Amino acid sequence: MKIKYKIALYYTISATLMLIAFAVLAYYFSAKSRKAEYLERLEYRARSIANVIIEDGNVKVDLLRKLDRTTFQDLYKETILVYNPNYDLLYSNLKDTTVRTHPTLLNYIKENKLYSYEKNGGEVVGVYYTEGNVSVIVLVSSFDKYGFQNLQNLSQILLLELITAVIILVGVGYFFARKMVQPIDQLVQQVDSINANNMQDTQVAVKGKDEIATLGANFNTMLQRLSESFHLQKSFVSNASHELRTPLAAIISQLQVALSKDRSNEEYLALLTSVLEDAENLSDLSNGLLQLAQSEMRQQEFVLSNVRIDELLMEMTTLIRLKHKTASKVEIHFVKVPDNDLLVTCYGNENLLKVLFLNLIDNACKFSKNNTALVTIDFFTQYILVQIKDTGIGIPPEEINKIFEPFYRGQNALQIRGHGLGLSICKKIVQIHEGHITVTSTPAEGTTFTVMLPHL
C-alpha cells in the first residue's frame, strides 16, 4: 500500500474513532439526563398526589379518583398506587387488574423515604409522604414515550452525521495525503532519473524546511560523495592501469630487443639489470596497490594491540637500509623523555603503522640531499607526535593540498622513482587510527610531515 493511502486510511480511522466516541458520549449523557429528568418528574408527581389526598389529617381518596377521571393524569401509561403505613392499598388507577406490591419494597420505601427503579421498560418512583400525623406511600410509574422518542431521533441523527463525516473524511484525508506525499513523489521521480553518467551534474530540487527538504539536502550530499567516489575510482583505475602498463611495456620491449639477435655477456647483464629494476618497480607498485586496498578497510576488520611507537621507529633504520641498499640514515630524537611507556604507546595495528612510518621515512631519505631522515618523538595529553623531516626539494604551495591523492606526484619529483601511492596510504592509515597528519614545506629547504596518534 502506498504511503498516501496509508496516511488517508490512518487519518480516516482515527478521526472516525474520535467521532464515534463523541457520538457515544453524547448519546450516553443525553440518556442519563433524560432518566434523571423523568425520575424527578415522577417524584414531583408522587408528592403532588400525596399532598392532594391528605387534607385535614385524613386521606381523601375520592378526591384523587375525581381528579383522575378529569385532567389529573398527564403521563403516558401512568400507574398510581397509594398505600397506608400498614401497606394496605388505598387507591389504584388500574382497572380489572390485580395489584401486587411486595411488602419488602414498601418497607424499603418507608425506611428510605424515596426509591426509584425500572420496571418493564418504564420508571417507577416510590415516595413516603408525611403531613401532620398522616403518612402515605405513593408509587407512580410511567413510560417516557417522548423522551425515548427523542433519544431514538438523536441516535439516528448521530448515525447519519457519522456516515456523512466518514465520507467527507475519506475525501479530505486522501486530498491532504496526496498533497503531503507530492514532494516525495517528485523526489522519487528526480532520483529515478539519476544514473552513473549524470550523477556529477545532477541534484534534486530542495524546497522548504520540512523533513522532506532535509531528506533532499542529505540526498544531494550523499550524491556528491558518491560522485567524488566514482571519480576517484575511475581516476584510480586509469592511473593504476597506466602505472602497471609502463613497467610491463618496458620489460617486454627490452626482452624482445634482447631476443632479436645474439648479444654479449655484458649486454645480457645490463639487460637483466634493467629488467630487474623494472620488475622491482612493478613489485613496488603492486605492494602499494595492495596496501592502499588494505587501508580502505574499516578499523573493526584489523587486529589491534598496544604498539610502542618509539620501538617501531627504531626498527625503521634497519628496514630503510635493507630497502635502499645505500648509506641511508634515520636520526631519531626525543623532545622529552617519557616517564611512562603508555605515553608513547598507541592502540592500533602494528603492520599498518609500520607501513605508515616506512613510507614517510622512505620518502624523507629519497628526497634528502644526504639521504637522511630526521625523526622527532614528542607526546602531549592525548596524542603522540612524530615528525619526519627531510632536507630535499620541498613541495610547491599550489601542490601541497594534492599530495595525499592516489597517484598524484609533484612536478618537481617526477625524476625520482615512485608511484604517488605512499602518502595516500599514510593518510588512510592515520584516519583508521583516529589520528591526524599534516605537512609543511619550504621549497629548496625541505618538508616536514607531522603525525599525531592517540596514546593510551
Side-chain angles (χ1 to χ4, degrees):
M1 183 182 293
K2 293 185 176 181
I3 294 179
K4 59 183 176 183
Y5 296 142
K6 288 184 179 180
I7 294 175
L9 179 62
Y10 295 156
Y11 169 76
T12 303
I13 291 176
S14 59
T16 301
L17 291 177
M18 290 182 63
L19 290 176
I20 291 175
F22 286 135
V24 170
L25 288 175
Y27 184 84
Y28 170 76
F29 286 115
S30 297
K32 193 174 182 180
S33 176
R34 180 214 63 80
K35 183 177 180 180
E37 181 182 358
Y38 200 70
L39 289 176
E40 184 178 354
R41 184 178 179 184
L42 290 178
E43 180 186 352
Y44 177 78
R45 177 76 163 164
R47 293 187 185 279
S48 299
I49 292 172
N51 186 46
V52 167
I53 65 176
I54 297 177
E55 184 178 350
D56 299 330
N58 297 312
V59 178
K60 297 184 178 182
V61 178
D62 294 338
L63 179 60
L64 182 59
R65 287 195 181 97
K66 185 177 179 180
L67 293 173
D68 190 26
R69 286 195 300 268
T70 57
T71 61
F72 194 72
Q73 181 175 343
D74 62 352
L75 298 177
Y76 181 72
K77 293 184 179 180
E78 182 184 36
T79 300
I80 301 174
L81 300 175
V82 181
Y83 293 88
N84 62 18
N86 296 323
Y87 308 150
D88 297 325
L89 181 63
L90 300 178
Y91 174 80
S92 171
N93 66 342
L94 299 175
K95 298 178 181 180
D96 301 329
T97 303
T98 302
V99 178
R100 292 181 181 180
T101 303
H102 203 281
T104 304
L105 175 60
L106 297 175
N107 185 57
Y108 183 85
I109 296 173
K110 184 177 179 180
E111 291 179 355
N112 295 276
K113 310 301 181 183
L114 180 66
Y115 180 66
S116 62
Y117 63 95
E118 294 183 4
K119 181 181 179 182
N120 299 327
E123 281 85 19
V124 180
V125 173
V127 175
Y128 183 73
Y129 184 83
T130 302
E131 183 178 323
N133 296 325
V134 180
S135 300
V136 292
I137 300 173
V138 180
L139 281 80
V140 178
S141 65
S142 177
F143 179 77
D144 189 7
K145 176 182 178 181
Y146 301 104
F148 282 112
Q149 184 66 41
N150 290 334
L151 282 179
Q152 184 177 2
N153 293 337
L154 177 63
S155 64
Q156 293 175 353
I157 292 172
L158 290 174
L159 182 60
L160 182 61
E161 290 180 345
L162 184 62
I163 295 174
T164 305
V166 170
I167 295 174
I168 296 175
L169 284 173
V170 170
V172 172
Y174 177 76
F175 174 76
F176 283 111
R178 188 176 64 178
K179 295 293 289 183
M180 291 171 61
V181 179
Q182 188 175 10
I184 299 180
D185 292 336
Q186 294 175 352
L187 183 63
V188 170
Q189 293 176 359
Q190 294 179 48
V191 171
D192 189 54
S193 64
I194 298 174
N195 52 51
N197 296 324
N198 61 3
M199 182 183 299
Q200 188 171 2
D201 301 323
T202 305
Q203 284 190 338
V204 298
V206 178
K207 296 181 180 179
K209 297 181 179 180
D210 55 6
E211 291 80 358
I212 298 176
T214 303
L215 175 63
N218 292 338
F219 181 82
N220 285 336
T221 303
M222 181 191 69
L223 203 62
Q224 183 178 1
R225 292 173 181 171
L226 287 175
S227 177
E228 292 175 356
S229 298
F230 285 168
H231 176 71
L232 289 175
Q233 185 182 28
K234 292 179 180 178
S235 176
F236 177 84
V237 172
S238 176
N239 291 327
S241 301
H242 174 74
E243 294 291 337
L244 287 170
R245 185 169 59 248
T246 300
L248 287 174
I251 292 174
I252 293 172
S253 62
Q254 291 180 81
L255 292 177
Q256 288 176 341
V257 171
L259 293 174
S260 63
K261 63 178 182 178
D262 294 335
R263 300 183 181 276
S264 63
N265 292 336
E266 291 77 8
E267 289 176 329
Y268 280 123
L269 181 60
L271 175 65
L272 291 176
T273 302
S274 178
V275 170
L276 177 61
E277 183 179 351
D278 290 333
E280 290 175 346
N281 189 17
L282 185 60
S283 177
D284 291 341
L285 177 59
S286 300
N287 291 332
L289 292 173
L290 179 60
Q291 291 171 357
L292 183 61
Q294 290 177 340
S295 66
E296 296 287 347
M297 297 168 62
R298 295 176 295 178
Q299 184 178 6
Q300 295 83 353
E301 300 176 5
F302 292 107
V303 178
L304 304 179
S305 61
N306 295 338
V307 181
R308 284 280 300 270
I309 299 300
D310 55 342
E311 294 179 354
L312 191 69
L313 290 170
M314 296 295 183
E315 297 179 16
M316 296 297 106
T317 303
T318 303
L319 295 176
I320 289 296
R321 288 175 180 172
L322 291 174
K323 183 176 182 179
H324 282 252
K325 301 177 183 180
T326 60
S328 299
K329 293 174 58 179
V330 180
E331 297 182 1
I332 300 176
H333 303 281
F334 280 91
V335 176
K336 52 181 176 286
V337 179
D339 298 329
N340 189 343
D341 292 343
L342 298 179
L343 296 175
V344 289
T345 301
C346 173
Y347 184 68
N349 182 271
E350 184 175 1
N351 292 330
L352 289 181
L353 292 174
K354 283 183 179 180
V355 172
L356 166 66
F357 292 113
L358 183 61
N359 284 337
L360 292 177
I361 294 175
D362 181 36
N363 283 345
C365 291
K366 284 194 301 184
F367 288 99
S368 290
K369 299 174 182 178
N370 55 359
N371 295 329
T372 300
L374 304 176
V375 180
T376 58
I377 305 173
D378 199 358
F379 53 87
F380 299 97
T381 305
Q382 297 179 343
Y383 289 95
I384 309 167
L385 188 145
V386 179
Q387 289 187 321
I388 298 96
K389 183 177 181 182
D390 64 59
T391 57
I393 57 178
I395 303 173
E398 65 274 8
E399 296 181 353
I400 202 165
N401 293 326
K402 302 178 181 179
I403 60 174
F404 292 107
E405 297 178 6
F407 296 104
Y408 183 84
R409 302 193 68 198
Q411 295 298 319
N412 60 349
L414 296 178
Q415 71 278 11
I416 300 177
R417 178 178 170 181
H419 304 285
L421 291 175
L423 292 180
S424 61
I425 295 171
C426 292
K427 185 176 181 180
K428 294 289 185 181
I429 294 174
V430 171
Q431 289 175 345
I432 289 173
H433 290 81
E434 299 180 355
H436 307 278
I437 182 170
T438 58
V439 57
T440 58
S441 180
T442 302
E445 292 186 10
T447 302
T448 301
F449 285 90
T450 302
V451 177
M452 297 177 65
L453 298 173
H455 63 63
L456 299 179

